[in-house]
């Protein structure tokens, strides 16, 4: 198997539709849907987020519930479990430098199924040996940093 394992932050970004990060949108449009995989762990992370939102905004939680159902059904044939192969890979990761459990399990899933991890969180997968593609990085301008951030520009405009 080869392809891409989508992290929660990528799926969440894609949910934004027209407001989606340009780099993520460009990457997603070029990737074949048959190459995209989702871990049950990502579904668990999304479920947890929905339940947290439900406590303060039931209407928003309902909208997210529909999105969750769509992801779960559209990716059903490309939904990857934490099986013995993944557990074995996970048990071998992070021996020198510990990796957070969820990131390590996602990395182990990608390694076990020969997938590239697609995530904004490159640092979370360091020292795992997994290949990481950050589509958000494509949208960043090249060249020298300008020496200011967007918040300072917005604040200056309000003065």
């Amino acid at each position: 198997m080869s392809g891409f394992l989508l992290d929660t932050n990528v799926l969440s970004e894609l949910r934004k539709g027209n407001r989606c990060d340009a780099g993520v949108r460009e990457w997603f449009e070029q990737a074949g849907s048959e190459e995209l995989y989702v871990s049950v762990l990502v579904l668990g992370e999304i479920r947890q987020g929905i339940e947290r939102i439900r406590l303060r905004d039931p209407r928003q939680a309902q909208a997210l519930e529909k999105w969750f159902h769509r992801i779960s059904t559209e990716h059903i044939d490309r939904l990857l479990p934490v099986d013995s192969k993944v557990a074995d890979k996970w048990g071998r990761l992070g021996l020198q430098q510990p990796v957070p459990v969820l990131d390590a399990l996602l990395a182990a899933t990608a390694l076990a199924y020969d997938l590239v991890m697609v995530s904004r969180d490159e640092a979370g997968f360091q020292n795992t040996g997994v290949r990481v593609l950050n589509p958000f990085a494509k949208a960043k301008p090249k060249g020298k940093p300008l020496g200011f951030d967007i918040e300072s520009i917005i604040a200056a405009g309000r003065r």
Side-chain angles (χ1 to χ4, degrees):
M1 176 183 307
S2 65
F4 303 96
L5 182 61
L6 304 179
D7 198 357
T8 308
N9 54 53
V10 174
L11 284 174
S12 295
E13 189 66 26
L14 290 167
R15 182 183 176 276
K16 294 178 182 178
N18 293 337
R19 297 178 301 119
C20 178
D21 176 87
V24 173
R25 186 181 320 111
E26 179 184 325
W27 174 81
F28 183 74
E29 289 171 354
Q30 292 175 2
S33 63
E34 68 283 350
E35 297 178 303
L36 305 178
Y37 294 86
V38 175
S39 168
V40 294
L41 297 167
V42 167
L43 292 183
E45 212 172 18
I46 292 170
R47 166 57 66 204
Q48 186 176 64
I50 292 170
E51 296 311 317
R52 285 183 178 157
I53 289 169
R54 189 180 315 282
L55 297 172
R56 66 179 189 279
D57 189 347
R59 179 179 263 173
Q60 176 65 16
Q62 189 59 35
L64 289 169
E65 194 74 50
K66 291 176 185 174
W67 172 66
F68 178 78
H69 179 68
R70 196 171 67 246
I71 290 171
S72 301
T73 56
E74 285 177 5
H75 291 278
I76 193 74
D77 57 333
R78 292 178 317 281
L79 189 60
L80 300 176
V82 177
D83 56 15
S84 61
K85 189 172 161 181
V86 172
D88 185 66
K89 288 280 186 194
W90 175 73
R92 298 169 190 268
L93 292 178
L95 297 176
Q96 299 299 319
Q97 293 180 309
V99 178
V101 174
L102 188 61
D103 290 342
L105 282 166
L106 287 171
T109 302
L111 291 166
Y113 290 98
D114 191 30
L115 300 171
V116 174
M117 189 73 224
V118 183
S119 178
R120 173 184 282 177
D121 183 22
E122 295 172 88
F125 297 100
Q126 281 183 334
N127 305 313
T128 64
V130 71
R131 296 168 291 163
V132 178
L133 182 142
N134 180 354
F136 293 88
K138 287 184 177 182
K140 292 181 183 169
K142 295 181 180 174
K144 293 163 82 177
L146 298 175
F148 52 82
D149 60 23
I150 193 68
E151 281 77 22
S152 64
I153 294 169
I154 293 168
R158 290 184 186 149
R159 291 182 199 151

